[in-house]
mmCIF file of all heavy atoms in Angstrom:
data_model
loop_
_atom_site.group_PDB
_atom_site.id
_atom_site.type_symbol
_atom_site.label_atom_id
_atom_site.label_comp_id
_atom_site.label_asym_id
_atom_site.label_seq_id
_atom_site.Cartn_x
_atom_site.Cartn_y
_atom_site.Cartn_z
ATOM 1 N N VAL A 115 40.262 32.293 -75.459
ATOM 2 C CA VAL A 115 39.761 31.814 -74.092
ATOM 3 C C VAL A 115 40.955 31.126 -73.395
ATOM 4 O O VAL A 115 40.868 31.087 -72.132
ATOM 5 C CB VAL A 115 38.551 31.019 -74.206
ATOM 6 C CG1 VAL A 115 37.873 30.748 -72.872
ATOM 7 C CG2 VAL A 115 37.476 31.589 -75.195
ATOM 8 N N SER A 116 41.933 30.641 -74.134
ATOM 9 C CA SER A 116 43.041 29.903 -73.441
ATOM 10 C C SER A 116 43.986 30.911 -72.739
ATOM 11 O O SER A 116 44.766 30.530 -71.822
ATOM 12 C CB SER A 116 43.817 29.213 -74.551
ATOM 13 O OG SER A 116 44.323 30.087 -75.542
ATOM 14 N N LYS A 117 43.816 32.203 -73.174
ATOM 15 C CA LYS A 117 44.840 33.169 -72.619
ATOM 16 C C LYS A 117 44.941 33.355 -71.178
ATOM 17 O O LYS A 117 45.970 33.378 -70.529
ATOM 18 C CB LYS A 117 44.689 34.551 -73.343
ATOM 19 C CG LYS A 117 44.975 34.477 -74.855
ATOM 20 C CD LYS A 117 44.570 35.766 -75.517
ATOM 21 C CE LYS A 117 44.962 35.920 -77.018
ATOM 22 N NZ LYS A 117 44.296 37.073 -77.671
ATOM 23 N N PRO A 118 43.843 33.492 -70.381
ATOM 24 C CA PRO A 118 43.972 33.654 -68.989
ATOM 25 C C PRO A 118 44.441 32.462 -68.305
ATOM 26 O O PRO A 118 45.066 32.608 -67.183
ATOM 27 C CB PRO A 118 42.411 34.039 -68.539
ATOM 28 C CG PRO A 118 41.635 33.632 -69.664
ATOM 29 C CD PRO A 118 42.414 33.702 -70.879
ATOM 30 N N PHE A 119 44.190 31.263 -68.931
ATOM 31 C CA PHE A 119 44.726 30.067 -68.239
ATOM 32 C C PHE A 119 46.247 29.938 -68.377
ATOM 33 O O PHE A 119 46.882 29.410 -67.415
ATOM 34 C CB PHE A 119 43.811 28.838 -68.799
ATOM 35 C CG PHE A 119 42.378 28.914 -68.455
ATOM 36 C CD1 PHE A 119 41.466 29.301 -69.571
ATOM 37 C CD2 PHE A 119 41.895 28.946 -67.294
ATOM 38 C CE1 PHE A 119 40.095 29.501 -69.283
ATOM 39 C CE2 PHE A 119 40.525 28.943 -66.993
ATOM 40 C CZ PHE A 119 39.619 29.303 -68.071
ATOM 41 N N THR A 120 46.751 30.262 -69.493
ATOM 42 C CA THR A 120 48.183 30.182 -69.607
ATOM 43 C C THR A 120 48.828 31.264 -68.622
ATOM 44 O O THR A 120 49.775 30.930 -68.036
ATOM 45 C CB THR A 120 48.605 30.547 -71.044
ATOM 46 O OG1 THR A 120 48.036 29.570 -71.909
ATOM 47 C CG2 THR A 120 50.179 30.452 -71.209
ATOM 48 N N ALA A 121 48.156 32.481 -68.561
ATOM 49 C CA ALA A 121 48.718 33.483 -67.519
ATOM 50 C C ALA A 121 48.684 32.776 -66.143
ATOM 51 O O ALA A 121 49.497 33.068 -65.300
ATOM 52 C CB ALA A 121 47.848 34.639 -67.689
ATOM 53 N N ALA A 122 47.715 32.053 -65.831
ATOM 54 C CA ALA A 122 47.452 31.272 -64.542
ATOM 55 C C ALA A 122 48.665 30.356 -64.352
ATOM 56 O O ALA A 122 49.198 30.306 -63.185
ATOM 57 C CB ALA A 122 46.093 30.610 -64.446
ATOM 58 N N LEU A 123 48.996 29.670 -65.377
ATOM 59 C CA LEU A 123 50.105 28.736 -65.253
ATOM 60 C C LEU A 123 51.463 29.454 -64.975
ATOM 61 O O LEU A 123 52.208 29.029 -64.157
ATOM 62 C CB LEU A 123 50.222 27.989 -66.614
ATOM 63 C CG LEU A 123 51.326 26.943 -66.826
ATOM 64 C CD1 LEU A 123 51.475 25.842 -65.721
ATOM 65 C CD2 LEU A 123 51.314 26.273 -68.217
ATOM 66 N N VAL A 124 51.598 30.564 -65.653
ATOM 67 C CA VAL A 124 52.811 31.458 -65.396
ATOM 68 C C VAL A 124 52.769 31.843 -63.990
ATOM 69 O O VAL A 124 53.797 31.781 -63.305
ATOM 70 C CB VAL A 124 52.880 32.651 -66.277
ATOM 71 C CG1 VAL A 124 53.992 33.516 -65.998
ATOM 72 C CG2 VAL A 124 53.057 32.173 -67.849
ATOM 73 N N MET A 125 51.678 32.217 -63.343
ATOM 74 C CA MET A 125 51.549 32.673 -62.003
ATOM 75 C C MET A 125 51.907 31.407 -61.117
ATOM 76 O O MET A 125 52.606 31.648 -60.117
ATOM 77 C CB MET A 125 50.167 33.206 -61.660
ATOM 78 C CG MET A 125 49.826 34.611 -62.264
ATOM 79 S SD MET A 125 48.267 35.176 -61.631
ATOM 80 C CE MET A 125 47.820 36.263 -62.877
ATOM 81 N N GLN A 126 51.434 30.305 -61.395
ATOM 82 C CA GLN A 126 51.748 29.041 -60.635
ATOM 83 C C GLN A 126 53.184 28.880 -60.613
ATOM 84 O O GLN A 126 53.718 28.507 -59.513
ATOM 85 C CB GLN A 126 51.007 27.872 -61.335
ATOM 86 C CG GLN A 126 49.602 27.740 -60.993
ATOM 87 C CD GLN A 126 49.210 27.612 -59.618
ATOM 88 O OE1 GLN A 126 48.595 28.501 -59.080
ATOM 89 N NE2 GLN A 126 49.713 26.522 -58.918
#
Side-chain angles (χ1 to χ4, degrees):
V115 188
S116 60
K117 293 168 176 173
F119 298 107
T120 303
L123 174 57
V124 173
M125 288 189 202
Q126 283 299 114

